[in-house]
Amino acid sequence: MTSPAELEACAPAGTFVETVTSVTHYTDRLFHFHMTRPSGFRFRSGEFVMIGLMVGDKPVFRAYSIASPSWAEDLEFFSIKVPDGPLTSHLQQIKPGDAVLMRKKPTGTLVNDALVKGRRLYMFSTGTGIAPFASVIRDPETYEKFDELILTHSCREVAELKYGQDLVASVKEDEMLNELFDTSRLRLYNSVTRDPFPFQGRITDLIESGKLFTDLDVPPLDPACDRAMICGSAEMLKDTKSLLEQAGLTEGANNRPAEFVIERAFAG
Ligand code: A2P
């Protein structure tokens, strides 16, 4: 891997060169890393940015949701490992001290600004789609805007749930965060599709059957008070969006806040 000094010399214009500070491998398909945050780099919780490496003499970039909240000192990302993925086949080898490229402009729709105020915020995620919500659930603004936060994370295997479970546990235990907002208003709902687990099935099936709401002991989706952010594969977005629309919720955007927003979980 390249050191930050070596990368500075060949980095494309308009990119930051940052240093990896920690790497955690969760499964053979998922890992998570922290890196330094450039001074002056601003983003809204839930946004994504382009992350890259030099592969040979060419920069290779992919979009990554920033998993840290907008106030954090460092930047945190959650990645899949695609064996022959143009970026992740290399990125999965990074170690503390290595250099990573980051383009300067963050963007995205999974932000508080794109939703109108409501009572309950659902964050529906599958796989690495949980990453933007790791940011949103640590932002005081989310707790100001919504009374109750429900993060759903559905994965193929039980081992893939660990990142989200550790994250929510750390939010609930964090003294500083608890001084800022009441983290008991945050709930995590897990389901698994390819391993035995007490909560089984795709999130779409659990919404459609109503089991999700029964398990959580909340009323069915209601456009008057429920808001949602969705992040997963293209198919998951399409199917979940259609269920929310059937329930009467309207899709919003940064320039047109409404009742739910979607963003594809990135891969490659
Ligand atoms: P399944 O195991 O039935 O494919 P992936 O890692 O492929 O992104 O999948 C993450 C989770 O999303 C898996 O539990 C997978 O279930 C589920 N999933 C895949 N497609 C959809 C969909 N169209 N709607 C809801 N969940 C989906």
Side-chain angles (χ1 to χ4, degrees):
M1 266 310 146
T2 330
S3 74
E6 285 165 338
L7 201 55
E8 286 284 0
C10 57
T15 56
F16 295 114
V17 176
E18 296 307 311
T19 308
V20 175
T21 51
S22 74
V23 184
T24 311
H25 291 269
Y26 281 93
T27 67
D28 55 4
R29 293 205 313 137
L30 289 176
F31 73 107
H32 168 245
F33 64 97
H34 285 253
M35 66 183 208
T36 51
R37 177 174 179 166
S39 58
F41 174 70
R42 302 264 168 276
F43 67 98
R44 294 178 298 170
S45 296
E47 287 191 313
F48 67 88
V49 73
M50 303 301 287
I51 291 288
L53 289 175
M54 294 299 290
V55 177
D57 57 0
K58 285 207 190 76
V60 178
F61 284 94
R62 287 290 178 271
Y64 274 86
S65 287
I66 306 172
S68 35
S70 58
W71 50 262
E73 275 175 25
D74 63 0
L75 297 176
E76 190 183 335
F77 299 93
F78 190 41
S79 179
I80 56 165
K81 308 176 192 178
V82 181
D84 49 3
L87 179 64
T88 63
S89 60
H90 302 281
L91 195 65
Q92 65 180 277
Q93 326 263 355
I94 55 168
K95 307 240 161 7
D98 288 342
V100 171
L101 298 169
M102 185 175 83
R103 287 216 208 274
K104 295 197 168 168
K105 199 165 160 20
T107 185
T109 52
L110 301 179
V111 291
N112 279 310
D113 292 346
L115 291 177
V116 289
K117 211 168 177 333
R119 181 140 49 87
R120 191 176 292 117
L121 174 66
Y122 285 96
M123 289 159 278
F124 295 114
S125 69
T126 52
T128 55
I130 192 173
F133 304 138
S135 177
V136 172
I137 64 169
R138 290 183 280 178
D139 192 323
E141 196 190 326
T142 315
Y143 294 79
E144 281 160 24
K145 201 158 178 175
F146 305 99
D147 296 338
E148 198 180 342
L149 280 65
I150 297 174
L151 170 61
T152 80
H153 190 211
S154 306
C155 292
R156 297 181 189 187
E157 302 163 19
V158 173
E160 293 172 323
L161 300 175
K162 184 154 169 48
Y163 168 81
Q165 292 169 339
D166 288 354
L167 167 81
V168 170
S170 73
V171 169
K172 288 180 175 286
E173 282 161 16
D174 192 306
E175 279 182 27
M176 189 197 79
L177 293 184
N178 275 292
E179 272 176 30
L180 293 174
F181 43 79
D182 174 10
T183 59
S184 68
R185 292 196 273 135
L186 166 66
R187 297 165 75 186
L188 174 66
Y189 183 92
N190 284 140
S191 78
V192 165
T193 47
R194 304 192 192 185
D195 264 349
F197 190 68
F199 299 92
Q200 204 88 38
R202 289 185 170 191
I203 190 62
T204 40
D205 294 335
L206 296 164
I207 295 173
E208 204 164 12
S209 68
K211 186 171 186 307
L212 173 71
F213 310 108
T214 314
D215 287 345
L216 289 167
D217 195 21
V218 295
L221 288 173
D222 177 355
C225 56
D226 289 328
R227 306 290 171 255
M229 295 179 175
I230 319 171
C231 191
S233 63
E235 285 299 304
M236 180 272 192
L237 295 184
K238 182 165 76 64
D239 295 348
T240 313
K241 174 181 149 117
S242 144
L243 290 169
L244 296 192
E245 286 175 341
Q246 277 172 40
L249 280 77
T250 310
E251 186 175 352
N254 273 293
N255 58 358
R256 189 177 22 86
E259 286 136 15
F260 75 92
V261 279
I262 68 174
E263 199 136 77
R264 202 179 189 300
F266 308 108

